[in-house]
Amino acid sequence: KQEVTQIPAALSVPEGENLVLNCSFTDSAIYNLQWFRQDPGKGLTSLLLIQSSQREQTSGRLNASLDKSSGRSTLYIAASQPGDSATYLCALGSGNTGKLIFGQGTTLQVKP
Amino acid sequence: GAVVSQHPSWVICKSGTSVKIECRSLDFQATTMFWYRQFPKQSLMLMATSNEGSKATYEQGVEKDKFLINHASLTLSTLTVTSAHPEDSSFYICSASPSGSGFGTDTQYFGPGTRLTVL
């Protein structure tokens, strides 16, 4: 059974700092991996999607990497801003069904 | 952009009553919709996959007679929590996967969620 773990559970950084969020998974046979953002009491916004055959994806100040052999993905946020404060979730697609298995998330606070 | 709405955004009900939550894709058609629940400070757990015109597929441990799902059209799926109890209090989120060519099942758009509180 696929298990997804995110470390740390919470992170607080000063504005402007570069930071890395980690996601690990137990089964390397994944279909894809996505990073989502969730604001308090709200739904999810997709940030980056990495297909199984890809190593990384970039969007603006965000860069996500995928290493299937080690069962890890990282989300790198450059020059963090207070508006980046949210919970970040990684989710694994386990097949061509659309089903997603989520990690528990990392709650990020960027202080002005 | 693709928008998914949920109604209501929050609901408080008495124990033993039933509550219906709607999930609508506003500007696209969705053959497949997904229902998740999220307990405080926990992650999203998939409850069921809803397919238009057919029965929903429930995840292990989810009672299909308690959580009734109807996907009657390509833009609407409903989740009915029957005989709700306090332990059903949670945040329920739906997502919709656009139909048609060019969209793989990778693409999902999430609704804003519905906060259910059962007294």
Side-chain angles (χ1 to χ4, degrees):
Chain A
K1 178 183 175 182
Q2 179 74 274
E3 293 183 2
V4 184
T5 304
Q6 290 187 248
I7 296 173
L11 181 64
S12 181
V13 300
E15 182 177 3
E17 202 165 282
N18 302 325
L19 58 101
V20 175
L21 307 181
N22 297 293
C23 174
S24 61
F25 46 94
T26 54
D27 187 348
S28 62
I30 65 172
Y31 187 71
N32 57 42
L33 184 146
Q34 292 191 65
W35 284 92
F36 291 90
R37 169 183 174 139
Q38 184 178 30
D39 291 287
K42 301 292 179 61
L44 277 65
T45 301
S46 180
L47 299 173
L48 290 164
L49 167 66
I50 310 176
Q51 298 292 352
S52 176
S53 58
Q54 298 175 325
R55 293 291 297 231
E56 67 176 346
Q57 284 287 333
T58 299
S59 176
R61 294 182 293 108
L62 305 179
N63 176 276
S65 67
L66 174 63
D67 184 345
K68 289 194 302 178
S69 62
S70 65
R72 293 182 180 181
S73 175
T74 61
L75 178 66
Y76 175 82
I77 302 177
S80 59
Q81 303 171 357
D84 295 331
S85 299
T87 296
Y88 291 82
L89 297 161
C90 72
L92 270 63
S94 58
N96 190 23
T97 62
K99 291 184 179 182
L100 297 175
I101 302 171
F102 283 85
Q104 291 191 315
T106 294
T107 298
L108 171 66
Q109 181 183 32
V110 181
K111 297 180 178 179
Chain B
V3 178
V4 175
S5 70
Q6 283 185 238
H7 178 79
S9 55
W10 60 270
V11 57
I12 300 173
C13 69
K14 293 182 179 179
S15 184
T17 61
S18 294
V19 175
K20 179 184 285 187
I21 302 171
E22 293 185 348
C23 176
R24 291 182 185 272
S25 55
L26 298 185
D27 48 5
F28 64 96
Q29 293 184 331
T31 305
T32 304
M33 292 184 175
F34 301 90
W35 286 96
Y36 297 84
R37 65 188 297 181
Q38 184 179 32
F39 291 108
K41 298 194 181 298
Q42 295 189 25
S43 191
L44 280 75
M45 297 296 293
L46 179 64
M47 299 176 65
T49 302
S50 170
N51 294 296
E52 187 267 338
S54 63
K55 292 183 178 180
T57 303
Y58 291 81
E59 294 300 301
Q60 191 173 10
V62 178
E63 300 176 57
K64 61 180 182 180
D65 294 329
K66 181 169 184 61
F67 299 98
L68 301 179
I69 292 173
N70 187 298
H71 194 157
S73 77
L74 288 173
T75 60
L76 173 64
S77 176
T78 60
L79 169 67
T80 301
V81 183
T82 63
S83 187
H85 291 283
E87 57 265 30
D88 298 324
S89 298
S90 187
F91 193 55
Y92 292 86
I93 301 177
C94 72
S95 69
S97 185
S99 307
S101 61
F103 293 103
T105 51
D106 303 344
T107 304
Q108 288 187 36
Y109 299 100
F110 283 78
T114 296
R115 174 78 57 195
L116 170 63
T117 301
V118 184
L119 302 177

